[in-house]
Amino acid sequence: MATEKKSILIVDDSELNRALLSDMLYDDFNIIEAENGMEAIAILKERELEISLMLLDIVMPQMDGFDVLAMMNNKGWINNIPVIMISAETGSAYIDRAYDLGAVDYISRPFDERTVKHRVMSNFMLALKQREMSDLLVEQIYQRERDNKIMIEILSHIVEFRNGESGLHILHVSTFTEMILKHLVLITDRYKLSQADIKMIVNASALHDVGKMSVPDEILNKPGRFTPEEFEIMKRHTVEGEKMLAAIPARRNEPIVKVSAEICRWHHERWDGRGYPDGLKGDAIPISAQVVALADVYDALTSKRCYKDGFPHEKAIEMIQNGECGAFNPLILQCLGDLQAELKEALHNNSPTETFDSGARDNVEHMLKASGSDVSNRTIQLLEHERMKFRFFASLSREVMFEYVASPEMIVLTDFSAEYLELPEKIPNPAESDFASRVFNKDDFNHLMTKIKASTPESPIVEGKYLMTIRGEQKWNKVIVQALWSDTENPVLEGALGKCLDITEETEELQQLENLADKDQITNLLNARAAKHKISNLLAAPNDYLYAMVFFDLDNLKRANDDYGHLFGNKLIKTIADRMIANTRTSDICARFGGDEFVIFMRYKDEHQIDRIFHALTEEDLDGFPVRVSMGIALSNECDGDYDTLLHMADQAAYAVKKTTKNAYKFYNALTEAEKKLTQ
């Protein structure tokens, strides 16, 4: 059976050089090509685990070979992919810098085929052997971790067997401890706990009750309440557990033994200082013991014992938070509240060994990869399978999908998206590209990037609505982005996955509904609510414009309805609206406030505007019926930008007209004191 070829990445801006190297190596390797450093980084990000070796030129546009090596060091790729430099530069400064950045070899141009093939194959075989050794090391470390876990479980089960408890107690306490500690370091930096510290505390938590080995059976398994004397004996399990661990020869100074001892002694202390055996208070209690104490209490409440039934999850949480089961660190209680759903789900875990096996191998492989080892071919095949599925579903969805890479900054489009947007698949410096200025506009793209960079590992989802230009048409799109953060103690934004959903139809339908909601049904003018919103925005805008608020009502609508019927009354209202539209500008705001009340809001120049509009509304009768209005005008320099004040002043002026002459107009600032009092 033929062996599948391994892949080599050739990076050179010269097509001829790439062709020469490809011809020399294609019999033994699958060749992948990149014409510059930026393209190489994009390929590495997508196909890191399948590339067995890289041939890298130094002098290239956009991103030279040294920059590529620096990025590979930053990303950790250099640990898994041997790099052979290929260059016409033979100066020692170039060669030394390449080796300093992690290159394993250096081949000068012009190329000698025998030299190239020999050195490529030698470095490839060396890397292959290192990977085989890594796989063996993974298996050995995994087995050792598993054996350690089993031994701790055996000891813990012995303790629980004497106590008549389920073997699940240790698993639950360990699981809850890990969940609480991981959440604790996310919400506060008060406790300087590394991932290694958390793992150690979780393992040590299994021994929290080892001191119960010293408690007589008749007390340990008593179904009823302890007498004061019996309780004092039971309380001794804390100090006895510490003594047992401290007495281990040659191991008492091991970190895990020290942590186990402090958990044994102090996991019954209380935050308020009323616990035992030492009455420690607050953070004088080690954080390891604080968290195990809470995990222990939660599992004890929710578990069935010979002397009680288990409480429901919700009741147990309520009891702990109400202080019915001791006093706890407020930060740990916050973790308990935040993790309620996860804790409830974890109660269903019932196999300690299976729980360990499900994640241990992945953890060991991740640890070794971070220190310079590769993962197995099986992992590569699974990743390629997932990549194929993604591409397939992405092509079926017919949606624009993209990946943002934070360093070096680039946008990577799916095959369909690149073709649909008529852009290359890989877009370096996206803020200066057509993607930012033609598909988005620059301000919108910068807004989206600001939101992505302001995301957090706890809240990585970003959404925005943008008017985008796609294939020459402007379309409203909802952009949904998942920010990608590194899984490290100090998370770093590595990039994001994004998707653009065309919501043009929904947006237009919503706009139509909003327009309908904003319009008066009889006149098609704005209603009072919509007019207030628009006018308030204009008044609040930073400008030096002088505006006029024109408020008027019909003097004789009631007579029109009484003498000619409501259909004629509606016709009169519609006629007034038509005359308003015909005699104002499109930038002016015309509104019906209900009944026979109307408003015009406009940029004001002089009184001739008002006089012209007044006469346009009233000079011509409607079917022999006189059209008459009482009109008041207030200017925006009198209201300090407040809509309600301006409307009230215009209304006062109109009311003064209605109470005196009718069918006329007055300015608020021309009202006499008597007229103002008339409107009170």
Side-chain angles (χ1 to χ4, degrees), residues 382-643:
L382 290 173
L383 287 173
E384 180 58 27
H385 180 65
E386 292 301 316
R387 189 182 298 131
M388 289 173 60
K389 285 199 299 185
F390 170 76
R391 287 173 174 165
F392 175 71
F393 288 120
S395 65
L396 286 181
S397 72
R398 315 296 286 176
E399 293 170 338
V400 173
M401 297 184 183
F402 63 90
E403 179 180 5
Y404 165 68
V405 181
S407 181
E409 274 203 307
M410 71 175 77
I411 293 290
V412 181
L413 300 171
T414 61
D415 297 344
F416 167 77
S417 302
E419 181 181 350
Y420 186 62
L421 296 176
E422 299 174 335
L423 292 173
E425 289 184 25
K426 299 175 181 64
I427 305 171
N429 304 316
E432 306 302 323
S433 70
D434 283 348
F435 188 74
S437 60
R438 182 164 64 81
V439 177
F440 284 84
N441 69 58
K442 275 190 177 285
D443 289 342
D444 285 348
F445 183 77
N446 291 336
H447 177 263
L448 177 63
M449 294 307 303
T450 299
K451 292 180 72 173
I452 291 173
K453 292 172 182 178
S455 69
T456 64
E458 297 74 39
S459 301
I461 305 299
V462 170
E463 294 185 7
K465 180 180 174 183
Y466 303 103
L467 186 61
M468 300 167 64
T469 304
I470 298 178
R471 300 176 77 87
E473 293 184 47
Q474 287 199 315
K475 296 177 178 289
W476 283 103
N477 275 261
K478 182 179 183 180
V479 181
I480 306 173
V481 174
Q482 163 85 55
L484 304 175
W485 290 84
S486 63
D487 186 18
T488 56
E489 191 169 348
N490 297 307
V492 175
L493 179 66
E494 294 185 334
L497 299 174
K499 182 179 189 179
C500 304
L501 303 174
D502 187 342
I503 56 169
T504 303
E505 289 187 9
E506 299 95 308
T507 302
E508 290 176 349
E509 289 174 1
L510 180 62
Q511 187 62 54
Q512 290 173 1
L513 290 173
E514 289 177 350
N515 289 340
L516 286 174
D518 287 346
K519 295 295 181 67
D520 172 65
Q521 292 183 353
I522 295 177
T523 64
N524 207 35
L525 300 178
L526 291 177
N527 57 34
R529 179 190 59 81
K532 178 177 181 178
H533 177 72
K534 289 179 177 291
I535 294 170
S536 296
N537 286 341
L538 288 173
L539 290 172
N543 58 58
D544 297 325
Y545 298 145
L546 179 62
Y547 294 103
M549 171 79 83
V550 181
F551 181 90
F552 65 91
D553 64 8
L554 295 173
D555 291 336
N556 47 5
L557 178 62
K558 184 177 185 304
R559 177 186 158 195
N561 287 328
D562 291 345
D563 293 352
Y564 299 95
H566 286 282
L567 288 178
F568 182 79
N570 286 343
K571 183 178 180 181
L572 175 60
I573 289 171
K574 184 68 170 64
T575 299
I576 285 290
D578 292 343
R579 292 177 183 180
M580 290 169 67
I581 294 296
N583 290 278
T584 56
R585 298 162 296 192
T586 55
S587 59
D588 298 335
I589 294 173
C590 296
R592 182 189 180 200
F593 272 38
D596 62 353
E597 295 178 337
F598 297 85
V599 160
I600 299 172
F601 185 81
M602 60 173 62
R603 291 261 299 275
Y604 180 74
K605 288 195 295 187
D606 53 43
E607 187 177 341
H608 293 296
Q609 286 176 281
I610 306 301
D611 191 68
R612 178 182 58 79
I613 291 172
F614 174 79
H615 286 95
L617 294 174
T618 59
E619 280 186 343
E620 185 177 346
D621 292 348
L622 174 64
D623 299 337
F625 185 84
V627 180
R628 302 289 183 264
V629 302
S630 294
M631 179 182 289
I633 305 96
L635 301 181
S636 60
N637 59 0
E638 300 171 313
C639 71
D640 196 27
D642 183 68
Y643 168 86

Side-chain angles (χ1 to χ4, degrees), residues 153-183:
E153 285 178 8
I154 290 172
L155 180 58
S156 303
H157 274 279
I158 292 172
V159 176
E160 292 188 353
F161 179 76
R162 288 196 67 240
N163 198 25
E165 294 179 345
S166 161
L168 291 178
H169 178 63
I170 294 300
L171 170 65
H172 286 164
V173 169
S174 297
T175 302
F176 302 152
T177 297
E178 182 174 17
M179 293 167 65
I180 293 169
L181 285 170
K182 286 184 174 179
H183 193 69

Side-chain angles (χ1 to χ4, degrees), residues 183-326:
H183 193 69
L184 183 65
V185 298
L186 290 178
I187 66 172
T188 180
D189 58 0
R190 182 169 172 177
Y191 305 101
K192 307 300 182 183
L193 295 172
S194 67
Q195 293 303 310
D197 294 331
I198 291 174
K199 181 179 178 182
M200 186 188 308
I201 294 171
V202 170
N203 286 335
S205 70
L207 300 175
H208 68 282
D209 275 340
V210 71
K212 288 183 178 179
M213 297 288 289
S214 66
V215 179
D217 286 348
E218 61 271 17
I219 295 177
L220 190 64
N221 295 315
K222 182 178 179 179
R225 184 181 295 274
F226 293 137
T227 66
E229 294 78 13
E230 289 170 339
F231 185 52
E232 288 301 317
I233 294 172
M234 175 59 80
K235 286 162 61 176
R236 293 291 302 168
H237 82 274
T238 55
V239 295
E240 293 300 328
E242 181 198 27
K243 286 181 181 178
M244 289 179 188
L245 294 171
I248 297 175
R251 294 294 182 185
R252 63 171 59 93
N253 293 322
E254 292 286 340
I256 192 168
V257 176
K258 289 183 176 181
V259 172
S260 299
E262 68 185 27
I263 291 173
C264 284
R265 184 175 184 96
W266 292 311
H267 71 281
H268 281 289
E269 298 288 357
R270 291 171 46 125
W271 185 251
D272 59 7
R274 297 170 60 191
Y276 63 85
D278 300 315
L280 299 184
K281 186 176 182 179
D283 276 328
I285 310 166
I287 189 62
S288 58
Q290 292 187 47
V291 174
V292 171
L294 182 64
D296 189 28
V297 167
Y298 172 73
D299 187 61
L301 288 172
T302 54
S303 299
K304 184 176 182 179
R305 297 286 188 265
C306 60
Y307 52 87
K308 74 169 187 70
D309 289 327
F311 289 105
H313 160 80
E314 292 76 12
K315 179 62 176 177
I317 296 290
E318 179 184 342
M319 292 171 69
I320 294 171
Q321 291 180 331
N322 289 343
E324 298 176 42
C325 308

